[in-house]
Structures are given as structure tokens and as C-alpha cells.
């Protein structure tokens, strides 16, 4: 029996709260890669990760931005890339359309649990790329 990876342990520990699990995995990636929040090259270093990993880190950071600054502000922060990830890799075109076409924060909040669950399934499907 093999030892579970850090990501597997985080997913197991935080499974009851998929969005928290996503945030924990993203934090683990940033820590493993030595990507600090004050780094001038932060965006470039995240983009240099495997596309699947970079996408999940970007999504986690965008969701955290929604919590910090609100949905209205987050709609202007990297929204095209986030919507493309959600509509493509996570196969949630309705959620992506909500991000691009509406200003309805309440509607987005109803879709957020499905988004977090899809992100965890995506991570599980690409687990070998994560720490």
C-alpha cells in the first residue's frame, strides 16, 4: 500500500467542505513551489505550473478574491480565464456563462458548491500532478 500524497491527505481531511479543500490544495501547491504572495513574478510562476495545477490555483485564488472583495469586483479580475477553465476543464458551461453574463451574485452563490465539487473531482482526476 502506498503512502497518500499531500493532496490526497488534504482532500480526505477537507472533503466535507470542497471549497476549503480546493483552497488547501492550492496553498500546498504555492508552498511547495515557493510562490509567495509578495512575489513580482507570482502570476508568471503560477502560469508555469502544469496547466491543470495552474488552473486550480487560479480558481482557488479567484474564489478567495470573491470572498475578500465581493462578486462585483471579482468579475473584473481574470474573469475570462476563470470562466474558460470552469466551462472547459470543469465542464460547467452554465456557471461560466453566469460569470460572463450576469451581475447576480446570488445566482453565482447557488452555483458555487457545484463548482467546488467539480474542482475536487478535477484534482482527483489529475492527482499525479499535485504535490
Amino acid at each position: 500500500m502506498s503512502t497518500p500524497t499531500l493532496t490526497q491527505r488534504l482532500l480526505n481531511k477537507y472533503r466535507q467542505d470542497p471549497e476549503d479543500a480546493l483552497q488547501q490544495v492550492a496553498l500546498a501547491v504555492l508552498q511547495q513551489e515557493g510562490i509567495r504572495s509578495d512575489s513580482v513574478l507570482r502570476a508568471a510562476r503560477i502560469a508555469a505550473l502544469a496547466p491543470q495545477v495552474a488552473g486550480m490555483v487560479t480558481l482557488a485564488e479567484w474564489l478567495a478574491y470573491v470572498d475578500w472583495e465581493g462578486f462585483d469586483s471579482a468579475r473584473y479580475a481574470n474573469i475570462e480565464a476563470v470562466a474558460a477553465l470552469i466551462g472547459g476543464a470543469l465542464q460547467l458551461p452554465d456557471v461560466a456563462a453566469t460569470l460572463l453574463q450576469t451581475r447576480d451574485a446570488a445566482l453565482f452563490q447557488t452555483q458555487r458548491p457545484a463548482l467546488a465539487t467539480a474542482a475536487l473531482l478535477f484534482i482527483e482526476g489529475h492527482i499525479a500532478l499535485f504535490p
Side-chain angles (χ1 to χ4, degrees):
M1 180 179 224
S2 64
T3 303
T5 66
L6 174 58
T7 298
Q8 290 167 327
R9 291 191 314 266
L10 290 170
L11 293 179
N12 289 336
K13 181 175 181 179
Y14 295 98
R15 183 154 315 276
Q16 73 283 356
D17 184 348
E19 194 165 330
D20 194 21
L22 173 62
Q23 294 295 335
Q24 295 296 326
V25 169
L27 181 61
V29 168
L30 294 172
Q31 288 177 341
Q32 179 186 351
E33 297 296 326
I35 301 173
R36 297 182 6 193
S37 60
D38 63 350
S39 173
V40 178
L41 302 174
R42 180 181 177 84
R45 293 204 49 212
I46 291 171
L49 299 170
Q52 299 87 344
V53 176
M56 291 302 101
V57 170
T58 299
L59 177 60
E61 290 193 338
W62 187 82
L63 288 170
Y65 190 87
V66 169
D67 292 339
W68 295 326
E69 300 294 333
F71 181 72
D72 289 338
S73 293
R75 289 190 65 247
Y76 299 99
N78 205 15
I79 194 68
E80 291 82 15
V82 171
L85 170 73
I86 292 169
L90 299 184
Q91 300 177 358
L92 295 172
D94 293 344
V95 178
T98 297
L99 293 180
L100 295 173
Q101 298 171 1
T102 186
R103 294 187 182 278
D104 189 350
L107 176 59
F108 174 70
Q109 289 301 329
T110 65
Q111 296 173 325
R112 205 166 161 164
L115 172 59
T117 299
L120 289 193
L121 292 172
F122 182 85
I123 292 169
E124 288 172 342
H126 298 90
I127 198 80
L129 299 173
F130 290 83

